[in-house]
């Protein structure tokens, strides 16, 4: 049964009392940004609750972590404070603590219609890493470029492959993306040309924000990984396939990935996602001990991608997937990232890599959906797509299905604009 709430939660809302995802918002231009929680189609202003001394447990009394322009100060406090905040907010919203329910003035000050606020990037992101953890994705891409026999690189089943990405160009849902310029090697030519990207793509991913700093030189043991995981967002890792193809050897992607990465605005905490844990995937060969947790978990998070061209009246779903299709789990990604002693810091983003499933409609990129352009996607209005065209809007979303409620992520939505 869903928990009760002092305000109406629309059916199928991503944001019931069971969720309580954190974001950063402003109400009017020029306002100070502050931290809020999504509840139904409203936003609960935590700065107002903090000023009213409603966060009065041992971890949060006299702290000022919500009248802030990012979640970092709150994330820095660690899980005891996160759990205390979660139960404080849950008690206020269920009415178990009547302080909000019975105070019309406070409710008026603390609750804002979601369509009247502007959501910002929720976290100050220091470093961004992107993995390649879906075996189905790696197999599809490897098959296209090297054939099914050699699809997976020899390292793939031994370690979570990743690369260090670019944090400065991470943007929040709603911000549009210009098609990038770059160097491309045309087919049947040995001379590159300088051109707007012609093979513009998305990648359906999820990412998690880390909190807490391990000391340089000290790996995080895999069984402590979740102490460092604050919460998750949906990630669209925009990709310039033709630029990538020419530049990637020998050091991996560079310009093909550094112009924009979009994230959903609400950070869904691991504590809200814990009821949706599922056993991690079977792994053969058995990983090294540093990648072998006592509790091998993943998460059952339904994901989808919708596309709307300028000639379409509504978006059309082009792919479905699930976080639990990943071969390497979030805890394994984090343990591998730090095995050298690399130090994570509060606010780092670790993304999964494209999450493709075993079926054709579960492919998380245009590259795979159109099989490198050889099988164009057919849209309901008769248009076709091999890759993204200017004016196309890509909308990704995700949710966990509970009994009578959903814990969701909202959307990450962005339109492709012409090259500048
Ligand atoms: Ca990626």
């Amino acid at each position: 049964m869903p928990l009760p709430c002092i305000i109406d939660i629309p059916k199928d809302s991503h944001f019931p009392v069971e969720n309580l995802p954190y974001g950063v918002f402003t109400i009017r231009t020029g306002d100070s940004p502050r931290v809020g929680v999504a509840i139904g189609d409203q936003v609960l202003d935590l700065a107002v609750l903090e000023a009213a001394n409603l966060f009065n447990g041992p971890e949060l009394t006299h702290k000022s972590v919500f009248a802030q322009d990012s979640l970092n100060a709150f994330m820095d406090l660690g899980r005891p404070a996160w759990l205390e905040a979660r139960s404080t907010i849950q008690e206020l919203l269920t009415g178990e603590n009547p302080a909000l329910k019975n105070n019309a003035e406070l409710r008026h000050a603390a609750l804002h219609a979601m369509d009247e606020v502007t959501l910002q990037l929720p976290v100050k992101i220091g470093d961004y890493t992107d993995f390649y953890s879906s075996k189905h994705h790696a197999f599809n891409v490897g098959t296209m470029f090297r054939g099914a026999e050699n699809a997976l690189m020899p390292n793939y089943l031994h370690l979570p492959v990743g690369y260090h990405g670019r944090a400065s160009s991470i943007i929040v849902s709603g911000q549009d993306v210009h098609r990038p310029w770059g160097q491309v090697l045309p087919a049947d030519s040995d001379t590159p040309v300088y051109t707007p990207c012609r093979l513009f793509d998305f990648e359906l991913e999820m990412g998690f924000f880390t909190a807490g700093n391990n000391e340089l030189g000290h790996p995080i043991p895999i069984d402590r990984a979740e102490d460092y995981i604050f919460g998750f967002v949906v990630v669209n890792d925009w990709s310039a396939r033709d630029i990538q193809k020419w530049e990637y050897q020998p050091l991996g992607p560079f310009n093909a990935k550094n112009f924009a990465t979009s994230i959903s605005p609400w950070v869904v905490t691991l504590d809200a996602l814990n009821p949706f844990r599922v056993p991690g995937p079977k792994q053969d060969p058995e990983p090294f001990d540093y990648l072998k947790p006592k509790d091998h978990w993943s998460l059952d998070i339904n994901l989808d991608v919708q596309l709307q061209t300028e000639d379409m009246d509504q978006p059309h779903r082009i792919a479905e997937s699930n976080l639990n299709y990943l071969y390497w789990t979030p805890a394994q990604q984090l343990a591998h990232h730090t095995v050298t002693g690399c130090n994570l810091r509060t606010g780092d983003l670790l993304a999964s890599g494209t999450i493709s499933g075993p079926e054709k409609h579960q492919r998380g990129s245009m590259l795979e959906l159109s099989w490198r352009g050889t099988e164009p996607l057919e849209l309901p209005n008769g248009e076709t797509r091999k890759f993204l065209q200017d004016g196309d809007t890509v909308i990704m979303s995700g949710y966990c299905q509970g009994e009578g409620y959903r814990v969701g992520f909202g959307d990450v939505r962005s339109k492709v604009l012409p090259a500048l």
Side-chain angles (χ1 to χ4, degrees), residues 246-327:
W246 170 235
E247 74 176 2
Y248 86 101
Q249 285 170 319
L251 290 186
F254 186 57
N255 285 329
K257 302 282 190 175
N258 74 1
F259 57 92
T261 306
S262 298
I263 67 169
S264 54
W266 296 106
V267 184
V268 178
T269 62
L270 182 58
D271 300 307
L273 295 169
N274 275 333
F276 306 98
R277 282 194 189 206
V278 289
K282 291 208 172 25
Q283 295 177 319
D284 183 19
E286 206 170 295
F288 284 103
D289 282 348
Y290 81 93
L291 292 171
K292 230 173 8 186
K294 285 196 188 77
D295 175 18
H296 182 44
W297 57 272
S298 187
L299 293 164
D300 180 7
I301 304 176
N302 300 291
L303 298 167
D304 78 348
V305 184
Q306 299 185 81
L307 179 66
Q308 183 169 5
T309 71
E310 284 197 322
D311 291 335
M312 289 164 69
D313 299 330
Q314 54 186 17
H316 173 67
R317 178 184 291 170
I318 56 171
E320 294 178 80
S321 192
N322 194 300
L323 184 87
N324 70 18
Y325 292 139
L326 291 180
Y327 187 80

Side-chain angles (χ1 to χ4, degrees), residues 128 130-132 137 163 202-205 235-239 241 244 253 257 261 351-354:
Y128 163 47
D130 196 17
F131 286 91
Y132 194 58
H137 172 69
Y163 70 97
F202 60 79
E203 292 189 335
L204 169 63
E205 306 196 12
V235 177
N236 180 352
D237 179 23
W238 298 102
S239 298
R241 299 295 179 201
Q244 186 174 1
K257 302 282 190 175
T261 306
S352 58
T354 309

Side-chain angles (χ1 to χ4, degrees), residues 178-212:
H178 285 279
R179 180 179 298 273
W181 284 78
Q183 284 195 31
V184 168
L185 186 69
D188 310 320
S189 168
D190 52 12
T191 314
V193 296
Y194 177 63
T195 172
C197 165
R198 295 160 184 168
L199 308 182
F200 196 53
D201 204 354
F202 60 79
E203 292 189 335
L204 169 63
E205 306 196 12
M206 294 204 75
F208 62 87
F209 285 108
T210 66

